[in-house]
Amino acid sequence: MFDVSAVEGGRPTESSAGRIEADSVQWVLQPRGGARMRGPQHFDHSVRRGIRLSQYDHVLGTHAEELSRIFPEGVARLWGSTPTQQTGNAKAVALRDRRVGDEVLFYAQNTFVAKARILGLLHNRDLAAAVWGVDEETDSTWEHIMALGDVVEFEVPAEPLLIALAMTPPLRSLTLVRAAERRRHLALLDGPLGGREPTAVGRPANGEELVAPVERMGRGDLLRALGTLDADVAAERRTRHGSLTLLWAIGRLMSGQGRLAPSDAYQRHLKPILQEFGSPGVTVSLEDPFRHLCGSGLWEVEAAERRDYGPVSIAASVESGARAGLRREAARLLRQPLVRAEAIGLLCTNHLEDVDQEELLERVGLGGYAHASGAADEDVDRNGSGWSAGHGGRRQNTGSRPGRDQRLVDRVKLLHRHQCQVCGLRLETRFSHYSEAAHIRGLGNPHNGPDTISNLLCLCPNHHVQFDTLAIFIDEDWNIRRSKDGERISTLRRHPDHEIDEQYVEYHRGLCGRNRYSAMQG
């Protein structure tokens, strides 16, 4: 069984069932699976990175030619489902009625984390077993396979959409959403996920007003605006209020709240943060950050009575019940993990270097972004002793920790013979040598990186601490540099059998605030 569409520019145009029209696209809601099912690892392996078809020639069978046509570069992005004995449940309907051209929404931990386009459908147990393995208890594997294209990762709270679809969170089964329902609820995913902005005024489940679309903003536009946030303000007149307000707004976004907040929320929740972390000797007023941010292109203030979007005064806004916050396009971008990490890193590096960033990020709901490893209560211990670093030095780690495959840790250490990839130190012990395996994109919240060898470095204890605390980073040319001033320390030592995924390096570099936009601050 195989159904595949012709592909032009990565998008399906025609299938055996006929031409796929945009308005007939369905949603396939796909649980990614948790740690027990190795969902994050499988997603990283077969969707994010893709599998090389040449490595699976022996199990492709009759599907080899079609998969090669869909993926001419030889790297296939696949996802699968186990079979079901039922005929009328949600999973059976989804397996039977999904089509080439439909859009897949991947779900994990009450969040939609990625979307993709179905380019082909096939049934191949041998291929599934080779890619994802077989469950020994049930003797099942993900044999109903989707070939995927146009993969985009993001983070959007899933509850509003699931409730609108009359589904009780969490999503537990593969589920098909028919085209008419998809069109009706596209706005709940903030427009761009469906390929267009909402044009009608409505009020979705979270109470956020839908307005006419704004001009498109790309990742570079957003980061450039952050990198030049105070460039037009004289040095002696610069305050931290704008950057603190943006961090607070990003924290609200992370917690699933709407991008616009009522004026009284700013008075109750933001003002104390400005008082505690703002520039010393500067009078706290919400007027300045609101006016300033409106001019940045990132922010809007909505007067409830007039429905205009100019920088109105705070006093008038409070009286009229106005709401303010990130513009729709900025919010959409900041829901993407990489862009969010880069934005937080830029704001902290350019504007907030002389404050307690760890305490500040905790206060605004962004706990974990001060460390590459994630939130302190989910830090992964380095040597298996059960200890990890905290505010008070070393402490017993009794909280929940993400799963870690010790075989990967041992392999990366063995490949590098315990030699630090930063400095080359091979720390001798009485009977052997000692090194530590560091995840580049941390396993803990909020980073949720994968436990793969392409996301690992072999480091000495000193450089592990510096890497985790964002004191050093890897630049685009694999040089190790100090985050504080960009000074080069060394070149990362590489091993031909240890492939490091550049997207994780880019994520860590973004956390350090050291991408190409960090130098724009005047």
Side-chain angles (χ1 to χ4, degrees):
M1 167 184 164
F2 195 91
D3 180 20
V4 63
S5 68
V7 178
E8 294 179 359
R11 294 188 177 278
T13 57
E14 210 171 70
S15 74
S16 59
R19 184 168 294 277
I20 298 294
E21 300 292 343
D23 284 346
S24 68
V25 172
Q26 304 175 111
W27 270 331
V28 178
L29 307 186
Q30 172 69 68
R32 188 193 63 187
R36 187 186 68 81
M37 299 177 63
R38 296 182 61 80
Q41 291 89 341
H42 288 327
F43 185 89
D44 178 69
H45 170 54
S46 64
V47 177
R48 181 182 288 130
R49 298 172 63 195
I51 67 162
R52 294 198 172 276
L53 292 174
S54 59
Q55 298 178 359
Y56 295 89
D57 277 341
H58 60 294
V59 289
L60 294 180
T62 58
H63 301 135
E65 182 179 348
E66 293 291 355
L67 284 172
S68 296
R69 185 168 67 83
I70 297 176
F71 303 106
E73 295 182 356
V75 177
R77 287 171 170 78
L78 306 177
W79 194 260
S81 300
T82 57
T84 176
Q85 301 301 316
Q86 304 296 320
T87 58
N89 63 1
K91 183 175 183 179
V93 171
L95 290 176
R96 182 186 68 229
D97 293 347
R98 62 186 177 179
R99 302 170 306 192
V100 168
D102 286 343
E103 190 171 58
V104 182
L105 296 181
F106 285 91
Y107 171 93
Q109 298 178 329
N110 301 314
T111 304
F112 289 116
V113 296
K115 70 163 185 172
R117 187 76 58 186
I118 299 179
L119 303 183
L121 295 167
L122 59 146
H123 186 190
N124 188 325
R125 178 180 170 86
D126 291 338
L127 175 59
V131 175
W132 300 296
V134 176
D135 187 317
E136 294 181 359
E137 294 183 7
T138 62
D139 191 34
S140 62
T141 186
W142 297 0
E143 58 196 69
H144 294 285
I145 300 173
M146 298 181 289
L148 301 175
D150 297 336
V151 179
V152 177
E153 294 188 63
F154 52 81
E155 287 185 6
V156 175
E159 186 172 346
L161 177 58
L162 295 181
I163 291 175
L165 294 170
M167 299 170 61
T168 302
L171 179 69
R172 299 187 183 279
S173 172
L174 185 73
T175 302
L176 186 71
V177 178
R178 301 293 183 180
E181 284 291 294
R182 176 181 179 272
R183 292 196 301 272
R184 187 175 301 120
H185 298 299
L186 267 175
L188 291 180
L189 289 183
D190 219 3
L193 299 184
R196 59 187 181 188
E197 291 284 349
T199 55
V201 174
R203 189 173 295 277
N206 62 6
E208 183 176 320
E209 195 80 347
L210 296 180
V211 299
V214 298
E215 62 272 18
R216 300 290 294 181
M217 174 187 292
R219 169 189 172 198
D221 300 318
L222 182 140
L223 296 176
R224 192 175 297 107
L226 294 174
T228 58
L229 191 61
D230 285 336
D232 59 346
V233 179
E236 65 274 10
R237 295 180 52 237
R238 291 177 184 172
T239 72
R240 304 176 187 140
H241 292 172
S243 52
L244 290 171
T245 301
L246 286 169
L247 283 178
W248 181 78
I250 295 171
R252 276 181 53 89
L253 210 62
M254 280 283 289
S255 67
Q257 301 178 73
R259 63 185 179 88
L260 299 178
S263 302
D264 61 343
Y266 289 92
Q267 297 284 356
R268 292 196 316 269
H269 303 303
L270 176 60
K271 195 168 184 177
I273 292 172
L274 298 182
Q275 289 172 331
E276 183 173 349
F277 296 98
S279 303
V282 176
T283 302
V284 173
S285 168
L286 294 179
E287 188 87 31
D288 292 337
F290 273 42
R291 285 178 188 253
H292 180 51
L293 290 178
C294 280
S296 71
L298 303 170
W299 196 260
E300 64 182 11
V301 180
E302 174 195 296
E305 293 179 354
R306 299 191 306 275
R307 294 285 184 236
D308 63 25
Y309 295 89
V312 298
S313 73
I314 297 302
S317 299
V318 172
E319 290 178 4
S320 65
R323 298 181 300 160
L326 294 160
R327 293 177 68 179
R328 185 179 302 280
E329 286 289 278
R332 174 183 65 84
L333 289 164
L334 287 165
R335 289 189 177 106
Q336 300 175 22
L338 172 59
V339 178
R340 184 168 59 247
E342 290 179 314
I344 294 168
L346 274 176
L347 289 169
C348 290
T349 298
N350 284 356
H351 310 285
L352 302 165
E353 282 197 325
D354 54 348
V355 305
D356 185 339
Q357 293 185 8
E358 187 167 2
E359 175 64 23
L360 168 62
L361 292 174
E362 287 284 350
R363 285 284 301 279
V364 299
L366 296 172
Y369 279 97
H371 299 275
S373 55
D377 65 343
E378 291 189 347
D379 279 351
V380 179
D381 61 296
R382 298 192 173 94
N383 57 12
S385 65
W387 294 87
S388 62
H391 290 295
R394 295 180 69 80
R395 60 177 172 81
Q396 182 69 33
N397 188 342
T398 57
S400 62
R401 293 191 315 230
R404 181 183 223 198
D405 191 337
Q406 187 61 38
R407 295 170 299 179
L408 298 177
V409 171
D410 295 339
R411 175 163 171 73
V412 77
K413 293 179 179 182
L414 181 63
L415 281 173
H416 293 277
R417 300 179 67 247
H418 294 284
Q419 191 172 27
C420 177
Q421 290 183 254
V422 172
C423 65
L425 175 66
R426 193 165 180 249
L427 191 62
E428 187 175 353
T429 64
R430 182 179 179 186
F431 299 110
S432 183
H433 294 85
Y434 177 80
S435 62
E436 296 178 349
H439 282 88
I440 304 169
R441 177 171 174 171
L443 298 187
N445 285 329
H447 310 309
N448 301 315
D451 191 24
T452 62
I453 197 166
S454 64
N455 189 32
L456 281 175
L457 295 175
C458 179
L459 301 178
C460 68
N462 285 349
H463 283 121
H464 191 174
V465 170
Q466 287 192 307
F467 191 84
D468 273 0
T469 57
L470 310 179
I472 59 175
F473 69 97
I474 305 169
D475 72 13
E476 292 87 345
D477 298 317
W478 301 99
N479 293 309
I480 308 295
R481 297 186 182 274
R482 293 202 321 173
S483 298
K484 183 175 182 180
D485 54 17
E487 180 181 345
R488 182 181 176 279
I489 298 172
S490 65
T491 298
L492 187 74
R493 295 167 178 265
R494 308 285 297 280
H495 189 285
D497 293 330
H498 179 202
E499 180 182 352
I500 298 172
D501 197 317
E502 293 186 34
Q503 67 174 314
Y504 308 134
V505 175
E506 183 182 22
Y507 183 92
H508 180 273
R509 187 165 59 242
L511 284 177
C512 295
R514 299 302 303 189
N515 58 25
R516 57 189 170 134
Y517 301 98
S518 62
M520 292 184 177
Q521 179 63 26

